Amino acid sequence: MMKAVPVKIAEIYVPAKFKGTLDAAKVSALADEIVGDGGLKVPIQVRRDEAQKRYVLVAGLHRLEAMRSLGEATIAAYIVAARKF
């Protein structure tokens, strides 16, 4: 079982493939849910990018942006292994 760890939001890179899928209404609704329900329920998924000294978002764009909109400095994340093909 994976354990979520806190990751600095400023250290997370969002790949271009995600940027066109952002829905501002969904981000706002998630932010309201996070505030109302006492926090983020499902951690995002990131992978390490050692060469760039950052994390790369794998899943959870709307959760990430909701936490960013709330002014949070960190977010709970599962760190997953990247497979090279």
Side-chain angles (χ1 to χ4, degrees):
M1 183 172 181
M2 295 189 335
K3 182 176 179 170
V5 297
V7 173
K8 291 180 183 176
I9 290 175
E11 294 178 358
I12 300 173
Y13 169 74
V14 178
K17 69 179 182 177
F18 287 125
K19 293 181 182 177
T21 65
L22 189 62
D23 179 344
K26 192 171 185 178
V27 170
S28 180
L30 276 170
D32 290 344
E33 185 178 314
I34 289 167
V35 170
D37 290 342
L40 184 68
K41 301 295 182 203
V42 179
I44 65 169
Q45 292 181 23
V46 296
R47 67 174 174 82
R48 293 186 198 273
D49 181 352
E50 296 295 337
Q52 299 293 324
K53 306 285 189 234
R54 64 184 179 187
Y55 296 91
V56 177
L57 183 69
V58 174
L61 175 64
H62 290 94
R63 286 171 278 160
L64 173 64
E65 294 304 325
M67 292 292 281
R68 190 187 317 267
S69 76
L70 293 170
E72 296 294 327
T74 61
I75 187 168
Y78 293 127
I79 300 175
V80 298
R83 290 178 26 181
K84 294 183 181 181
F85 295 95

